[in-house]
Amino acid sequence: MNKQLLGVIDATTVHDDLHELSIHRSVAAIPFGGRYRLIDFILSNMVNSGIQSVAIFPKFQYRSLMDHLGSGRNWDLNRKRDGLFFFPAPNLDKHYTGIGTLDHFADNIDFFERSTQEYALIANSYTVFNMDFQPLLDWHIKSGCDITEVQKEGKSLGIYLVKKTLLMDLITTRSETGYSNMRDVATDLDSQFHLCYYNFEGYASMVDTIGNYFRTSMDLMKPEVWKELFPKDRPILTKVKDEPPTRYDVDASVRNSMVANGGMIEGTVENSIIARGVKIGKGTVIRNCIIMQKTQIKENCLLDSVIVDKDARIEAGTVITAPADSPTVIRKGSVQGVGSSS
């Protein structure tokens, strides 16, 4: 049963509303939860469901994604047979739309021809959820479906299950049918196929805007959401980094927050996510924030509802606050001086 599913992750999507976080990286590689990247969720779900062959189809800014995934060792995908495959778009001028772009798949049709799995699971790279795909496969087969779309409360989650032979037919006949992606097929009211819709009842959030990214990140502080996303028997895997525990100064105060390894906290952190290697100075208050890797925040700062990207530096005495429904984003590698505010 486990070898029946082929994993296909479409990492080509560009969300304009995530531009501030995707200038230097693909959406799939956006850091999340202090130590993860968005792609970790779908990739871990596939591996935890017994999928042993996963193909990733990126287009733009995928160096960071490749660095994160490496050989796939952290997901047990560095195999002699099957494993992790990477298929960047050969033509950046070609316009792809929707999840499961058939043109991109066509450029790598030999991969699908060589794969031995009977079914293909095609998914986006930016949904935060924890799902076992084996019950989905069982339901798809039992229901006699041609194509199953996974939904959450009637809304598509951009995940499709299809027999691999049918997927290859869709790829080779795309110029005749007019279908450009899996969404086109799943929403065609005149479709000749038996279309099915599978409702996922757990927590799921598609991260496609800055506001959504912020809200989904803040949801991690809710025990019920944490319990759903990170069960011990279905772990979300990520790139392992050997770093010492974060050091806390005697005056440091941390409440309801996630703090990754390798940092130094001398100030106050409340309801925030602190990534690896972050330094927070004395007298500084971090509230409702997402602070990404290796950022340095000097003494006596106040940050509220701010997303600070990697390697940024906030100078001493800086105040940056924003409404919770419209967080401020500090770009990767930038420097913010005293008095900056929004």
Side-chain angles (χ1 to χ4, degrees):
M1 176 67 78
N2 286 345
K3 291 187 177 179
Q4 285 187 326
L5 272 173
L6 172 68
V8 178
I9 300 176
D10 186 328
T12 63
T13 306
V14 176
H15 293 302
D16 291 341
D17 284 343
L18 282 173
H19 176 70
E20 292 293 316
L21 295 177
S22 58
I23 297 173
H24 302 289
R25 59 172 80 93
S26 68
V27 170
I30 291 177
F32 182 80
R35 67 188 70 202
Y36 303 97
R37 303 292 178 120
L38 288 178
I39 197 171
D40 289 341
F41 289 86
I42 183 59
L43 187 56
S44 297
N45 288 340
M46 287 183 172
V47 170
N48 290 336
S49 300
I51 296 176
Q52 298 179 351
S53 181
V54 179
I56 297 175
F57 290 79
K59 187 174 183 182
F60 299 110
Q61 308 280 30
Y62 53 82
R63 184 191 59 78
S64 176
L65 182 62
M66 292 186 70
D67 177 66
H68 178 69
L69 297 175
S71 64
R73 181 171 60 90
N74 292 298
W75 295 265
D76 194 26
L77 288 172
N78 56 334
R79 299 166 176 270
K80 290 183 178 179
R81 299 182 62 181
D82 292 327
L84 186 67
F85 301 88
F86 222 74
F87 297 113
N91 185 354
L92 295 182
D93 295 328
K94 191 180 288 186
H95 184 58
Y96 297 151
T97 59
I99 302 301
T101 304
L102 300 178
D103 269 354
H104 198 167
F105 294 165
D107 291 328
N108 301 279
I109 192 69
D110 56 328
F111 167 75
F112 294 99
E113 291 171 345
R114 290 197 306 268
S115 299
T116 58
Q117 291 78 9
E118 188 173 0
Y119 293 89
L121 182 76
I122 303 157
N124 68 77
S125 61
Y126 53 88
T127 297
V128 175
F129 69 139
N130 194 315
M131 179 178 179
D132 185 352
F133 295 123
Q134 285 298 328
L136 167 66
L137 176 60
D138 294 341
W139 182 87
H140 175 87
I141 295 172
K142 184 178 180 181
S143 303
C145 307
D146 291 320
I147 299 167
T148 295
E149 179 183 73
V150 180
Q151 297 184 341
K152 170 73 175 175
E153 298 174 347
K155 180 182 177 183
S156 174
L157 287 179
I159 301 169
Y160 306 93
L161 180 58
V162 60
K163 225 170 189 177
K164 194 188 70 176
T165 51
L166 175 54
L167 174 61
M168 293 178 65
D169 286 343
L170 292 170
I171 294 170
T172 55
T173 62
R174 65 192 186 286
S175 60
E176 302 161 25
T177 62
Y179 295 142
S180 61
N181 55 58
M182 292 305 299
R183 178 66 174 161
D184 286 351
V185 184
T187 57
D188 182 2
L189 298 178
D190 298 321
S191 174
Q192 59 178 309
F193 304 115
H194 182 195
L195 305 178
C196 300
Y197 304 97
Y198 183 91
N199 185 54
F200 176 64
E201 296 181 347
Y203 179 90
S205 178
M206 299 179 76
V207 177
D208 51 8
T209 66
I210 291 293
N212 201 338
Y213 174 81
F214 187 75
R215 285 191 297 274
T216 305
S217 298
M218 293 296 109
D219 279 349
L220 296 181
M221 255 71 75
K222 300 175 181 175
E224 65 275 17
V225 173
W226 176 267
K227 189 176 179 181
E228 276 199 49
L229 288 178
F230 302 101
K232 290 183 179 179
D233 60 337
R234 296 182 50 79
I236 300 301
L237 306 168
T238 189
K239 182 178 181 179
V240 174
K241 293 185 178 180
D242 295 325
E243 292 176 308
T246 287
R247 294 168 56 199
Y248 297 88
D249 183 74
V250 65
D251 295 325
S253 173
V254 178
R255 295 176 56 192
N256 194 39
S257 298
M258 295 172 58
V259 181
N261 291 347
M264 176 66 193
I265 296 179
E266 299 176 310
T268 298
V269 177
E270 297 176 357
N271 202 42
S272 297
I273 295 173
I274 310 298
R276 293 162 166 152
V278 170
K279 295 181 179 178
I280 297 173
K282 286 182 179 294
T284 284
V285 176
I286 305 296
R287 185 179 298 128
N288 307 315
C289 290
I290 301 164
I291 312 297
M292 296 189 191
Q293 194 173 347
K294 294 182 180 178
T295 283
Q296 295 185 40
I297 303 174
K298 302 293 186 179
E299 300 79 14
N300 301 315
C301 296
L302 170 61
L303 274 64
D304 193 340
S305 300
V306 181
I307 301 170
V308 186
D309 208 335
K310 287 178 61 176
D311 299 318
R313 191 171 78 241
I314 311 296
E315 298 292 3
T318 300
V319 176
I320 308 174
T321 64
D325 59 355
S326 183
T328 291
V329 179
I330 306 299
R331 288 188 176 183
K332 179 181 177 181
S334 63
V335 178
Q336 295 292 306
V338 177
S340 298
S341 62
S342 61

